[in-house]
Amino acid sequence: MIPSTMQDFPLDVAAILRHGARVHGGSECVTWTGGGEPHRATFAEVAANAGRLAGALARLGVRPGARVATFCWNNQEHLEAYFAVPAMGAVLHTLNIRLFPEQLAHIVNHADDQVVIVDDTLVPLLARVVDRLPAVEAFVVVGDGDAGPLEANPNGAPVMRYHELLAAEEPDHPWPAVDERSAASLCYTSGTTGDPKGVVYSHRSTFLHAMAVLSASLVGITEADRVLAIVPMFHVNAWGLPYGAFLSGATLHMPGPFLQPEHLTEFIARERSTLSSAVPTIWSAILAYGETRELDLSSLRGGTSGGAAAPRVLLERFEERYGLRIIQGWGMTETSPLGGMAFPPPGVEPGTPEDVDWRMKSGRVAPGVEMRIVDADGAELPWDGTAVGEIEVRGPWITGSYHRDPAPEKFHDGWLRTGDIGTIDGRGYFQITDRVKDVIKSGGEWISSVELENHLMAHPAVAEAAVIGVPDPRWDERPLACVVLREDGEATAEELAAFLRDKVARWQVPEYWTFLDEVPKTTVGKFYKGPLRKMHADGAFKVERTG
Ligand code: AMP
């Protein structure tokens, strides 16, 4: 063995910040203000404010390792916190603004957040739990809006103004040396089943993941891009886009609270966004909005969809109408999140059905991540594209435990058990067919709820479809299709069952149907099947039976 001659240079968030500020100082963070002129700041200005924020937080007593939470939309100040907090050696905790009050209070206390940075427009939401946050020592409010409801906190924690604090500080903060393996940020899982669990990203994992975002195998953003980050900054670090932008020089487009299709599409048209990332429900909303008016999406060279399976019609219609190729990706809070993107292999002609077939994969294993599928006994299954098992992953940006909760049941010989079921083929393309908890077990066979949903949403009368397993005396479970029809759409359960018959095996076609006004969504806009199961168990909706 000879020692390597390479420098032992720490991979940390301060290095990402320095690079963006120095090499791409003129790139911009553009925050949408709901009309009129958006707010613009260069990366150099963002970096200077990050320095000021770090100075202010240090003055408030934030020491290395302390947790600083954000309760914010996607905007410039949130970006400044993304850099200031980890770079000063503290830990950024991005709070999901849509959590129920109980869960919000739980995670602030579980993380032991010392300071909370909050957008003024979100003060009323945070105020609902302000009497339950004993460890919070200060609230920092972004904007000039009313902060009164926070003043009532029982600890007497001071409520300060972000811009006033920054005005008193110097831009050149001396960033300390940090251990690259120490905590940089913290994000809780959405907790749709049980309490949310905390995933703690290290500086090293953050840096490596940001490099992966730049890779053409994943998102491939460059300085020429203007990236509209629709995915919230509290949803797994906005999928790595903020740090990826500082490493690449891509301009960041931040929608703030304006997540409605009319705002997003106006932002794209006016600022000429080249890329955008969102969950399928947001993409679907944009598509639906575009059905009644002309949209200018011509600046987009691509889009990414993740967080849930994208229906095939979504990929097809965006391509037909706008020439926009949406690429699907897969990931989890536990995986930073990028675990794979579904770029078709070389030789596949864009715009062909074969191209869409490839883009309907959940992803191709990301460089840097290792994946396998295992059966119920934990034995590895072949990469043949047909064997179905639970997906397990490991790698430098995959979590190995949870914050103050080792959760051994979530790991298997050092691999993370994803709770996702699917197949993987010989080239590493994987297809998620279900969550372990959503798969429908019928007569000893599995029915993929995702596949049924996907076919149903291709029916012209269907806006949304979620399929759940319901108890059945003979088969154990049978699929119940919960369908939302388009406003102008008409279809009976019999017609929809007939529509499915040449698409899936006959025994997989649901015989139970219900028609709803909407499918419940999680805090990040995914179909939420828990409430549907409960509604069914409570007899809260009418179920029709087809033959
Ligand atoms: P979260 O931690 O809230 O981001 O949720 C992670 C889960 O979202 C994964 O375990 C999957 O079940 C689901 N998911 C993410 N991306 C996809 C995808 N492309 N297709 C299907 N499911 C996905």
Side-chain angles (χ1 to χ4, degrees), residues 190 235 306-309 328-333 362 418 420 432 435 526:
S190 51
H235 188 198
Q328 250 197 107
W330 171 90
M332 310 170 69
T333 308
S362 312
T418 63
D420 284 333
I432 309 289
R435 297 285 293 157
K526 308 184 196 189

Side-chain angles (χ1 to χ4, degrees), residues 57-135:
L57 291 172
R59 211 176 289 283
L60 290 176
V62 172
R63 299 285 168 258
R67 269 74 70 200
V68 174
T70 51
F71 197 75
C72 302
W73 299 105
N74 289 14
N75 55 33
Q76 179 192 333
E77 291 82 1
H78 206 168
L79 184 64
E80 289 163 4
Y82 254 56
F83 286 105
V85 177
M88 70 186 287
V91 183
L92 177 80
H93 177 193
T94 50
L95 294 167
N96 181 337
I97 61 171
R98 302 206 181 90
L99 286 180
F100 287 122
E102 296 68 39
Q103 287 193 325
L104 178 61
H106 169 75
I107 67 171
V108 173
N109 292 326
H110 191 264
D112 213 2
D113 294 330
Q114 186 181 335
V115 175
V116 183
I117 301 173
V118 50
D119 279 348
D120 56 1
T121 52
L122 294 171
V123 162
L125 276 185
L126 185 62
R128 292 191 298 177
V129 299
V130 77
D131 56 346
R132 281 177 264 171
L133 310 178

Side-chain angles (χ1 to χ4, degrees), residues 32 113 119 123 175 221 240 298 320 374 427 448 477:
W32 191 246
D113 294 330
D119 279 348
V123 162
W175 302 115
I221 57 177
S298 60
E320 281 159 22
V374 300
R427 289 193 277 187
S448 162
E477 273 186 344

Side-chain angles (χ1 to χ4, degrees), residues 371-522:
M371 185 175 280
R372 65 181 186 183
I373 51 172
V374 300
D375 67 15
D377 299 322
E380 247 191 283
L381 293 168
W383 287 30
D384 60 6
T386 51
V388 179
E390 181 173 0
I391 293 186
E392 298 188 336
V393 287
R394 64 179 184 187
W397 58 83
I398 311 292
T399 203
S401 68
Y402 292 89
H403 182 50
R404 294 170 50 198
D405 178 5
E409 72 283 2
K410 295 277 192 177
F411 301 93
H412 173 201
D413 297 340
W415 295 70
L416 169 75
R417 301 176 60 182
T418 63
D420 284 333
I421 289 178
T423 61
I424 184 163
D425 75 9
R427 289 193 277 187
Y429 284 93
F430 55 97
Q431 182 89 61
I432 309 289
T433 52
D434 251 315
R435 297 285 293 157
V436 172
K437 61 182 172 27
D438 291 339
V439 70
I440 300 159
K441 299 189 182 89
S442 176
E445 302 276 354
W446 285 359
I447 300 177
S448 162
S449 63
V450 170
E451 192 185 352
L452 291 174
E453 289 159 7
N454 190 24
H455 287 306
L456 282 170
M457 285 190 277
H459 189 284
V462 174
E464 292 180 342
V467 181
I468 57 170
V470 294
D472 182 271
R474 177 151 175 227
W475 303 106
D476 231 3
E477 273 186 344
R478 287 298 299 159
L480 161 70
C482 309
V483 177
V484 179
L485 293 176
R486 288 170 182 276
E487 260 170 43
D488 55 352
E490 270 183 49
T492 63
E494 287 293 351
E495 282 161 6
L496 294 175
F499 178 74
L500 289 180
R501 272 189 201 111
D502 61 351
K503 298 183 175 61
V504 297
R506 226 185 153 80
W507 60 272
Q508 298 185 342
V509 176
E511 64 270 53
Y512 298 114
W513 298 81
T514 189
F515 292 87
L516 304 174
D517 293 336
E518 75 170 320
V519 172
K521 311 281 186 323
T522 69

